[in-house]
Amino acid sequence: MGETVKTFCRNCSALCSMEIDVEEGRMVRARPDGTASPYGAYLCPKGLAAIDFHNGAENRLLHSLKKQTDGTFAEIAGDQAIDEIGARLKAIYEEHGPRAIAVYHGTGAYRCVLGNLMERAWVAALDTPNFFSSMTVDQSAKWVTMARMGIMASGRHNFRDADCALLAGGNPLVTHQGAPFAVAEVGAPARAFAAAKERGCKIIIVDPRRTETARFADLFIQPLPGHDAELFGAIAHVMLRDGLYKRDFVERFCIQLDELRATLAPFTPEFAAARAQVPVEQIELAAKWLGEAERPLAGSGTGPSMSTHSNTADHMIEVVNVLAGGYRKAGDRIRNPGVLKAKDAYEMAVSPTRSFEHEPKCVSEDTGLLVGEFPTALIPGEIAADSPDRIRALICFGGDPLMAVGDPALAKAGFAKLDLLVSLDSRMNATGEMADYVVATSQPFERHEISVPGDGSYPEPFVQYTAPVVAKPEGVIDDWEFFWAVSAKMGVPLTFKYWNYGLRFQDIPEGIELSLTDRPDPEDLCRYLAKDSVVSFDEIKANPSGVRAEVALRTVLPGPPGASGRLELCPPDVAAELAAIAKEPAETGYGYRLTCRRVLHALNGAFRDSKEARRRFPVNYAYMNPEDMAAEGLADGDTIEIASEFGKVRTLAKGEDRLRRGVISMTHMFGPLVGSGDPLADGGANVGQLTSLTRHVQPINFMPRFSAIPVNVTVLAPAEA
Ligand SMILES: Nc1nc2c(c(=O)[nH]1)N[C@H]1C(S)=C(S)[C@@H](COP(=O)(O)OP(=O)(O)OC[C@H]3O[C@@H](n4cnc5c(=O)[nH]c(N)nc54)[C@H](O)[C@@H]3O)O[C@H]1N2
Ligand SMILES: Nc1nc2c(c(=O)[nH]1)N[C@H]1C(S)=C(S)[C@@H](COP(=O)(O)OP(=O)(O)OC[C@H]3O[C@@H](n4cnc5c(=O)[nH]c(N)nc54)[C@H](O)[C@@H]3O)O[C@H]1N2
Ligand code: SF4
Ligand SMILES: [Mo]
């Protein structure tokens, strides 16, 4: 007999509500569940493919593995693996101190609520500063901006309230990436854009590729990649030149306007238009629309954050948002103050912390923490450093850092110096291949979860809880169990807390002290997380489609009297970066710029081997403008070699008229770490081979250049007819 179970997808931050048909303990079909969801009924192909994936696609691991002395893996029981890992960690900790132990938190860990909080509790209990995540090889330019400019505590406008929205280098129709940085709604993004247009919101998209999202654009700017610093510098220049900025806002909350004006003097629209190869009029128009809007919103996806001068570019995008006054004001309605933890917002600026200038610092470079994390691109260096504080043990939770950081030769040499490498994952990946232990974990539909990651970020107040839809296979464990059990084995007591970004774990006063011997009950942990909820845990549990909570109307409150925080628009380091960019010569010798992009049917390294993804993407194609292909004598499916200053990849070319000429667009995390030369046999190519961990890296966050990479193309073989 079959049954239908309600739950929610945990692949991305949309957390779409769904129902799943289960027959004889096996999931067979998934459908969207619009009963209470803040997006209505919606599921993307990855939500649907999740069933496939659970049922064994992509070589799901059903047992943990231990590396043997001959380099092969042998199965090991989960408990045994934990005992051995716990003992080795304890020895490393006692001999070398807490800094010898590091964790890497990957994309698969973000929506794993209990695992994530147990990991944070463990790291806090060990008191190691070595916390790394995929965020610092993603959009940590945004964290750098927060640390150098400060933040407006009132927050940006909700997309549903904006009357002019600019998105640079993001494609939410495909990626479902939204607030707080990008401009979109995470679930049902096309519906949200259509509704925005209906309301009369003007939409500006800035992207070298005419993205799926760009079909909603009132103004589409298609620059050469790598020139957002100039482009947004020029938009700011025009806003200052024409008085198109919110004077009151800037006077109340900002400093360094004169410095900004002086620094941006060379950033005329003509200068930026020549660099980015866009019409001057588009720069002027973007400045005018944003300057005149009442509730503007300017933000970016990964494009500018991965591209040339990413930190400066991001600072300038935020400067444009500041000049436009793109934040909620006192009295503005807060659409979703949160349900599990409802929060107030205040109209006040919080001055920059420049946290990266303070202790603790990395050992391989003079840089410190950003939002409590060290830069992931420094992991290989932090392992290889000649320092008593170097990293000796690395636990990777739901990620593949070896693939994610690029520069495989350097990264691999670093990882090889570890005493202990553990991958906590539901499948084997490149990092797992190098690991001493791969601990097989449960997958979302096999565990308890409550919507902590959506709280306060859903477009409307909403909360959902799920118990496992199906039982987990015998040989796998929950991620949270790993951290709890390893900690117990080390004799380190844990306090489980409701942590979220912006909080320091140690500073959170409340928590539950966990026993080292009695395994916590996951439902009890979820109940604890709902302790302060507007809707009681029992009511949440009784409503498996989730609850659209009735939350009393909250508005943004005025800042406390005497609040003296200010946004720094143009600190000296940013001014110096802009001055250097203004004088920089063009990078020559390369015919193309290779840009980052994502595809709908894969999620970084995950789902690329699902049936649907493989049918569409036997490899990660190198998309090129058809005129460029004709000029190279290339046809669809021809094999090409793409070479940067740092390495080469081989893949198949495919025409895409959405791209401007001179741009090649390719997604990441396909193929093996280092390709064999046969892209079809490899199932794609790792674009990380074209990147460097030592050259073209940003100061502060050490972000490598993953987009606008200068490359040349060689034609290798025509496609078979
Ligand atoms: N289906 C799917 N969804 C995903 C993912 C996935 O792999 N697949 N990954 C998830 C993750 S980890 C993330 S971080 C998010 C990312 O979410 P997005 O940021 O929306 O990701 P992309 O679709 O890669 O969009 C980046 C855009 O930047 C453009 N771009 C590249 N270089 C430049 C540049 O120099 N300047 C400008 N202005 N634009 C540029 C590219 O053409 C591309 O359209 O998506 C998440 N969601
Ligand atoms: N060249 C280049 N490099 C890039 C990028 C780029 O665009 N170009 N993008 C960057 C970005 S934005 C990111 S986010 C990183 C991605 O880097 P990572 O986050 O390190 O890589 P993913 O492939 O997303 O790894 C997710 C892993 O989580 C596992 N997983 C899924 N669910 C669970 C679970 O419930 N529990 C556990 N334990 N594991 C689970 C999956 O099997 C998968 O192996 O790469 C970065 N690197
Ligand atoms: S958008 Fe897709 S991957 Fe993200 S939660 Fe919804 S169904 Fe899952
Ligand atoms: Mo990401």
Side-chain angles (χ1 to χ4, degrees):
M1 264 301 289
E3 56 166 345
T4 296
V5 185
K6 306 229 179 205
T7 184
F8 55 95
C9 178
R10 278 147 273 173
N11 293 332
C12 86
S13 51
L15 306 177
C16 298
S17 303
M18 65 202 292
E19 47 184 48
I20 297 180
D21 294 339
V22 180
E23 288 171 10
E24 289 166 0
R26 190 179 162 87
M27 300 190 295
V28 291
R29 233 168 282 106
R31 280 181 301 278
D33 177 14
T35 317
S37 159
Y39 324 114
Y42 181 78
L43 273 189
C44 85
K46 289 171 274 91
L48 296 168
I51 300 285
D52 239 20
F53 183 28
H54 269 250
N55 290 336
E58 302 217 337
N59 306 316
R60 166 158 198 204
L61 291 171
L62 295 172
H63 300 277
S64 295
L65 299 170
K66 178 182 180 178
K67 179 81 53 74
Q68 308 298 297
T69 41
D70 67 358
T72 60
F73 282 108
E75 281 180 16
I76 179 172
D79 289 350
Q80 176 69 21
I82 286 174
D83 277 355
E84 294 182 19
I85 294 165
R88 287 181 67 177
L89 285 171
K90 187 165 195 273
I92 291 170
Y93 180 86
E94 281 167 2
E95 189 177 347
H96 302 287
R99 279 197 73 141
I101 299 175
V103 302
Y104 170 79
H105 178 101
T107 305
Y110 283 89
R111 264 72 54 183
C112 183
V113 173
L114 300 182
N116 176 10
L117 295 177
M118 209 62 88
E119 171 201 38
R120 297 274 171 179
W122 185 61
V123 169
L126 293 180
D127 199 23
T128 170
N130 280 318
F131 191 99
F132 300 86
S133 81
S134 50
M135 180 60 187
T136 48
V137 279
D138 180 338
Q139 295 162 72
S140 56
K142 277 112 176 164
W143 286 357
V144 172
T145 299
M146 287 160 60
R148 299 202 287 187
M149 180 191 286
I151 52 172
M152 256 329 266
S154 49
R156 288 156 176 266
H157 292 292
N158 186 297
F159 187 39
R160 292 192 180 183
D161 297 319
D163 59 352
C164 178
L166 178 148
L167 174 61
N171 190 13
L173 250 69
V174 164
T175 61
H176 303 83
Q177 177 106 336
F181 301 120
V183 171
E185 276 184 25
V186 284
R191 259 179 238 159
F193 274 95
K197 298 273 294 185
E198 186 81 5
R199 277 196 319 270
C201 174
K202 288 198 175 89
I203 291 168
I204 309 172
I205 303 283
V206 184
D207 201 301
R209 178 171 178 269
R210 185 168 33 79
T211 58
E212 289 72 3
T213 310
R215 81 174 141 100
F216 295 102
D218 296 285
L219 171 61
F220 173 52
I221 305 181
Q222 192 170 23
L224 269 185
H227 295 290
D228 297 278
E230 294 99 314
L231 208 49
F232 285 87
I235 294 175
H237 174 108
V238 174
M239 292 173 89
L240 292 170
R241 182 197 71 194
D242 295 352
L244 279 168
Y245 65 97
K246 307 300 189 307
R247 235 171 258 274
D248 284 359
F249 176 82
V250 172
E251 270 166 25
R252 274 178 76 193
F253 297 114
C254 304
I255 56 171
Q256 301 167 347
L257 187 67
D258 292 340
E259 288 86 337
L260 180 70
R261 208 184 274 277
T263 308
L264 290 182
F267 286 72
T268 62
E270 292 73 19
F271 160 79
R275 285 267 175 108
Q277 295 181 18
V278 297
V280 171
E281 299 72 45
Q282 294 188 340
I283 296 174
E284 301 267 357
L285 193 58
K288 182 168 149 52
W289 283 2
L290 286 164
E292 288 174 355
E294 269 177 48
R295 291 177 310 281
L297 178 58
S300 62
T302 48
S305 290
M306 292 195 173
S307 212
T308 317
H309 305 307
S310 48
N311 289 346
T312 326
D314 189 76
H315 196 94
M316 295 325 293
I317 294 168
E318 199 63 36
V319 157
V320 165
N321 193 57
V322 168
L323 294 178
Y327 305 95
R328 295 185 297 201
K329 297 183 180 60
D332 282 352
R333 170 176 168 203
I334 303 174
R335 282 185 174 268
N336 179 10
V339 178
L340 291 168
K341 283 254 190 263
K343 275 202 292 263
D344 283 320
Y346 296 89
E347 189 185 26
M348 58 186 268
V350 180
S351 294
T353 59
R354 299 190 77 91
S355 57
F356 53 88
E357 289 176 351
H358 308 136
E359 292 296 331
K361 293 259 179 95
C362 288
V363 295
S364 61
E365 294 284 352
D366 183 22
T367 197
L369 296 167
L370 282 171
V371 194
E373 302 186 13
F374 281 150
T376 286
L378 292 181
I379 293 177
E382 293 292 294
I383 299 167
D386 182 13
S387 160
D389 277 338
R390 72 182 192 86
I391 295 171
R392 293 162 197 273
L394 176 65
I395 312 295
C396 300
F397 169 21
D400 192 357
L402 201 53
M403 279 294 260
V405 298
D407 200 339
L410 191 148
K412 221 175 156 178
F415 276 59
K417 297 200 171 81
L418 284 166
D419 296 346
L420 178 65
L421 175 60
V422 177
S423 168
L424 193 58
D425 211 293
S426 39
R427 87 196 77 172
M428 185 57 91
N429 60 31
T431 306
E433 296 285 357
M434 268 195 93
D436 301 294
Y437 296 87
V438 181
V439 177
T441 68
S442 60
Q443 295 192 24
F445 300 122
E446 295 155 358
R447 57 183 197 234
H448 300 74
E449 221 105 60
I450 189 159
S451 56
V452 170
D455 204 53
S457 66
Y458 287 120
E460 306 285 341
F462 179 71
V463 62
Q464 192 167 8
Y465 165 77
T466 179
V469 175
V470 288
K472 55 180 185 265
E474 231 160 71
V476 312
I477 62 164
D478 285 342
D479 298 286
W480 68 264
E481 278 183 281
F482 172 84
F483 291 106
W484 174 79
V486 161
S487 205
K489 179 80 196 168
M490 294 174 78
V492 175
L494 294 183
T495 308
F496 183 83
K497 297 180 179 178
Y498 191 124
W499 172 88
N500 222 323
Y501 280 99
L503 300 174
R504 238 173 59 99
F505 199 90
Q506 287 88 333
D507 296 343
I508 302 170
E510 294 182 337
I512 2 179
E513 319 267 328
L514 300 180
S515 158
L516 294 183
T517 48
D518 301 332
R519 187 172 297 262
D521 175 68
E523 182 178 320
D524 288 348
L525 295 174
C526 291
R527 182 180 291 276
Y528 172 78
L529 296 173
K531 176 173 77 68
D532 302 324
S533 174
V534 174
V535 184
S536 74
F537 183 72
D538 290 324
E539 191 183 338
I540 301 170
K541 198 180 156 190
N543 288 276
S545 288
V547 182
R548 249 332 159 84
E550 299 275 342
V551 177
L553 175 76
R554 282 192 202 217
T555 56
V556 176
L557 301 169
S564 60
R566 291 291 178 271
L567 304 179
E568 295 192 16
L569 300 184
C570 193
D573 47 355
V574 174
E577 290 161 19
L578 285 165
I581 291 169
K583 286 189 288 200
E584 177 179 74
E587 285 180 81
T588 53
Y590 296 90
Y592 298 91
R593 296 289 180 272
L594 183 127
T595 56
C596 64
R597 65 102 56 76
R598 279 164 174 73
V599 293
L600 185 58
H601 293 76
L603 188 82
N604 304 332
F607 296 102
R608 65 182 174 197
D609 292 321
S610 71
K611 261 184 264 147
E612 202 38 36
R614 271 302 167 210
R615 193 173 66 72
R616 289 164 193 260
F617 306 106
V619 298
N620 47 340
Y621 291 108
Y623 290 97
M624 297 177 71
N625 177 288
E627 290 174 44
D628 282 338
M629 287 182 64
E632 299 276 359
L634 274 171
D636 268 3
D638 285 354
T639 304
I640 57 173
E641 185 165 272
I642 302 173
S644 75
E645 189 185 344
F646 309 106
K648 292 175 182 161
V649 296
R650 286 181 181 185
T651 191
L652 312 187
K654 199 174 177 108
E656 189 179 55
D657 64 6
R658 293 170 176 277
L659 288 166
R660 62 169 293 154
R661 290 200 68 176
V663 174
I664 300 178
S665 164
M666 241 179 117
T667 195
H668 58 300
M669 295 279 188
F670 269 64
L673 187 64
V674 177
S676 70
D678 180 347
L680 277 169
D682 284 353
N686 172 19
V687 286
Q689 293 172 94
L690 302 172
T691 67
S692 165
L693 283 166
T694 49
R695 302 276 310 284
H696 303 288
V697 288
Q698 290 291 290
I700 301 168
N701 57 351
F702 290 81
M703 179 67 189
R705 177 159 71 177
F706 288 160
S707 195
I709 306 167
V711 293
N712 284 316
V713 167
T714 316
V715 182
L716 290 184
E720 280 167 39

